[in-house]
Amino acid sequence: MSNANPIGIFDSGIGGTSIWKEIHKLLPHENTIYLADSKNAPYGQKSKEEIIALSIKNSEILIEKGCKMIVVACNTATTNAIKELRNRFDIPFIGIEPAIKPAAHLSETETIGILATKGTINSELFNRAVETYSDVKIVEQIGYGLVQLIEDGKMVSDEMTQLLKEYLEPMVEANIDYLVLGCTHYPYLIPQIKKIIPKHIKIIDSGEAVAKQTKKVLEKNNLLNLSKEKNKQVFYTNSDSTVLKSILGFSDMVFEKDF
Ligand code: DGL
């Protein structure tokens, strides 16, 4: 395994690009391969077994392409499948989970809100984390429909505004002062979320923390790419690539491929 081998990143779709952006910002010399499994989105409505099978399939593709490490840029896949992935494959895996810990520590109203998929909110890993912070009131909300609207290119739409209002207004009424975004698609909704919730409510997502953890694990395993040569950022989607290209802001190295 050479240090120049790429970091593999996958998500149920385009949401994990919010994590790729953080990783690329912190580690600009790394080569990366991103898989958007949009054909199978949303994962959040699938069974644990289905999420595990899809996560294995994505990891196998990335490993075949020579990835030295895999970032599971999906809360739903992490909370349901990371254990199986780590047991099955012998390269390092980085996962992402809703940032309950910082929100619970920082909250002054002792009430925090979490917006995540059904798959994440029902997972054992998530519920164990919630139990750890039982002194804080956690208002959980499943973001039904949000991932699909983003995947369909309806990020800014009346339907989106209506759903966000329906999900967020009860949290505001419950007096939350932190809103945790527990799905990698949701950071793209921040401008709209800010129009609905009052200014004093802070929004937390896990993107930066995941990038820092990626760097730490690369260092620990002596896998950092020290070459300053031009690196490659490649993206594959098994669906129409229009929305992925627009969210990235570029279209070279974005490929449509069936997987
Ligand atoms: N980006 C995925 C996550 O972080 C979305 C899951 C889905 O496809 O429902 O959970």
Side-chain angles (χ1 to χ4, degrees), residues 11-12 15-16 41-45 73-77 117 120 147 182-185:
D11 180 37
S12 62
Y43 281 12
Q45 296 297 106
C74 175
N75 292 261
T76 312
T117 69
T120 294
V147 167
C183 170
T184 54
H185 281 69

Side-chain angles (χ1 to χ4, degrees), residues 208-231:
E208 209 185 316
V210 170
K212 283 186 183 154
Q213 181 64 6
T214 303
K215 186 174 179 209
K216 214 162 115 186
V217 174
L218 285 176
E219 279 167 352
K220 197 174 136 217
N221 290 279
N222 286 321
L223 284 173
L224 268 184
N225 187 18
L226 302 171
S227 155
K228 298 280 182 284
E229 275 171 33
K230 193 168 161 27
N231 53 67

Side-chain angles (χ1 to χ4, degrees), residues 28-254:
H29 302 300
E30 294 294 332
N31 295 297
T32 62
I33 300 180
Y34 182 95
L35 285 191
D37 192 12
S38 295
K39 188 174 79 180
N40 293 303
Y43 281 12
Q45 296 297 106
K46 295 190 190 301
S47 68
K48 184 177 168 79
E49 290 68 32
E50 286 173 305
I51 298 167
I52 291 173
L54 290 167
S55 301
I56 291 174
K57 170 203 63 137
N58 295 334
S59 303
E60 280 172 345
I61 297 168
L62 291 168
I63 289 168
E64 249 168 58
K65 290 187 182 298
C67 290
K68 60 183 176 184
M69 163 201 264
I70 291 179
V71 178
V72 182
C74 175
N75 292 261
T76 312
T78 300
T79 51
N80 285 278
I82 194 93
K83 206 168 118 199
E84 280 74 11
L85 296 175
R86 288 187 173 134
N87 285 341
R88 196 176 184 108
F89 303 108
D90 58 8
I91 57 168
F93 275 80
I94 308 287
I96 177 163
E97 286 174 51
I100 303 175
K101 188 177 167 180
H105 282 307
L106 293 165
S107 176
E108 283 174 9
T109 62
E110 295 183 341
T111 311
I112 64 172
I114 299 192
L115 190 62
T117 69
K118 185 176 165 202
T120 294
I121 287 187
N122 288 342
S123 70
E124 217 183 293
L125 207 68
F126 176 78
N127 282 291
R128 243 186 285 139
V130 166
E131 275 164 31
T132 314
Y133 299 100
S134 54
D135 47 334
V136 173
K137 186 172 171 213
I138 300 179
V139 186
E140 296 169 12
Q141 175 63 53
I142 294 172
Y144 290 111
L146 302 180
V147 167
Q148 202 56 57
L149 283 176
I150 296 171
E151 289 289 326
D152 292 345
K154 294 181 185 152
M155 196 136 72
V156 184
S157 61
D158 288 345
E159 274 162 287
M160 183 63 89
T161 309
Q162 220 172 332
L163 285 182
L164 286 175
K165 277 190 178 159
E166 191 184 312
Y167 301 154
L168 297 172
E169 280 171 358
M171 293 192 188
V172 176
E173 272 161 38
N175 200 23
I176 63 160
D177 56 355
Y178 279 85
L179 170 64
V180 177
L181 301 182
C183 170
T184 54
H185 281 69
Y186 300 167
Y188 288 115
L189 301 174
I190 289 175
Q192 294 177 75
I193 291 175
K194 281 188 170 162
K195 286 186 191 155
I196 297 169
I197 61 172
K199 271 204 183 71
H200 73 272
I201 300 179
K202 292 174 195 71
I203 302 170
I204 301 196
D205 70 75
S206 316
E208 209 185 316
V210 170
K212 283 186 183 154
Q213 181 64 6
T214 303
K215 186 174 179 209
K216 214 162 115 186
V217 174
L218 285 176
E219 279 167 352
K220 197 174 136 217
N221 290 279
N222 286 321
L223 284 173
L224 268 184
N225 187 18
L226 302 171
S227 155
K228 298 280 182 284
E229 275 171 33
K230 193 168 161 27
N231 53 67
K232 245 167 79 181
Q233 316 295 322
V234 188
F235 298 81
Y236 293 104
T237 172
N238 51 16
S239 182
D240 185 283
S241 57
T242 315
V243 186
L244 176 60
K245 285 173 179 165
S246 82
I247 221 164
L248 287 170
F250 54 83
S251 59
D252 51 327
M253 304 309 276
V254 179

